[in-house]
Amino acid sequence: MPNPRKAELQKLRDDLAKEVEHLGGILRGPAADIGGDKVWVGRNARAWHRELDGRHRRLGEQVGRLLPLVDAALRGEPERVTAAEARSYRDGS
């Protein structure tokens, strides 16, 4: 029978792939606004922009690491399992 764990991992991967762009771009707009002197100017604005830009970059790096982890987990799962294994997975055993 189809492996329910693999099916759930595939759904996670599909959902995550949809969110990667969104998550990576969350701080892009605010960082550009502040960095472009549209919202705030001066020494504190530049320092805050550097901080926000660094957080944006780190968020993108962290999000970029998620898909390969899920892909590796998917590769390790068999396509089919026994009925007992599927039932055990669904029951949380």
Side-chain angles (χ1 to χ4, degrees):
M1 86 177 322
N3 183 344
R5 178 176 162 84
K6 186 159 190 155
E8 286 185 3
L9 282 169
Q10 186 60 55
K11 181 176 179 348
L12 172 64
R13 200 231 183 267
D14 294 345
D15 292 346
L16 185 58
K18 291 175 189 170
E19 293 296 323
V20 163
E21 182 61 31
H22 174 71
L23 290 172
I26 284 176
L27 297 177
R28 189 176 299 134
D33 288 347
I34 290 174
D37 294 334
K38 292 179 187 176
V39 178
W40 190 14
V41 296
R43 185 182 55 187
N44 289 337
R46 287 188 299 276
W48 203 83
H49 174 259
R50 283 190 302 274
E51 173 71 20
L52 186 60
D53 193 48
R55 288 176 185 238
H56 174 249
R57 193 171 35 262
R58 284 189 302 277
L59 178 63
E61 290 167 1
Q62 290 171 351
V63 167
R65 292 182 190 130
L66 294 174
L67 282 173
L69 291 172
V70 175
D71 288 339
L74 272 167
R75 283 190 302 274
E77 287 293 323
E79 290 293 326
R80 301 189 65 75
V81 295
T82 66
E85 289 171 321
R87 193 170 34 257
S88 176
Y89 176 76
R90 282 193 214 106
D91 292 343
S93 303

